Amino acid sequence: MWLQWVMLAVVIAMVLLGSIVFAAPSSNGTICLIVVVGILLLGRHLHQVALQQTEPINTLLSVIYFAIPHLEWYDVRDLIVYGHSVVPWVDCALATLYAAAYTGFFLFAAWLVFRRKTLTV
């Protein structure tokens, strides 16, 4: 359950950054939903696809693969359903640090973008 909350922190920080960048809440919600679903469904396979491509596309897809937050690491429902062993505490701690780094990055980026905006009354 802890890993689900940590993943939610990354998604909330990403949506907060999107709410400052995009003008309408509908566009922010749509874009963030597409990005999160894309990461969850295709993120783990992106590097395998990149290895089969020619050179300029290979490098671009590899950069994207290593730059996105891997939210699929936090989805351990299959491990629970199929009776696998519990995730070790060391792995949970490393995943928490990974998520904290991405959450901090998105919040820092949101702060930088918000700082540059002019506030009108």
Side-chain angles (χ1 to χ4, degrees), residues 3-114:
L3 293 176
Q4 293 289 316
W5 282 103
V6 171
M7 179 182 78
L8 187 61
V10 174
V11 172
I12 288 173
M14 189 184 318
V15 171
L16 182 64
L17 174 61
S19 71
I20 295 171
V21 172
F22 302 115
S26 60
S27 63
N28 179 34
T30 304
I31 291 171
C32 288
L33 177 72
I34 290 170
V35 167
V36 169
V37 169
I39 289 172
L40 286 173
L41 293 178
L42 302 173
R44 69 181 74 181
H45 306 293
L46 191 59
H47 192 62
Q48 295 169 353
V49 171
L51 294 176
Q52 298 173 356
Q53 301 299 318
T54 59
E55 182 44 46
I57 297 172
N58 179 356
T59 304
L60 178 67
L61 290 177
S62 293
V63 167
I64 291 171
Y65 174 77
F66 289 111
I68 63 172
H70 290 279
L71 301 176
E72 70 271 7
W73 293 350
Y74 302 99
D75 188 19
V76 293
R77 290 176 295 177
D78 288 340
L79 298 176
I80 294 169
V81 168
Y82 295 115
H84 292 284
S85 62
V86 179
V87 179
W89 288 106
V90 174
D91 293 339
C92 285
L94 289 174
T96 302
L97 288 174
Y98 180 82
Y102 268 102
T103 303
F105 169 75
F106 286 131
L107 291 176
F108 183 71
W111 173 73
L112 284 177
V113 172
F114 185 73

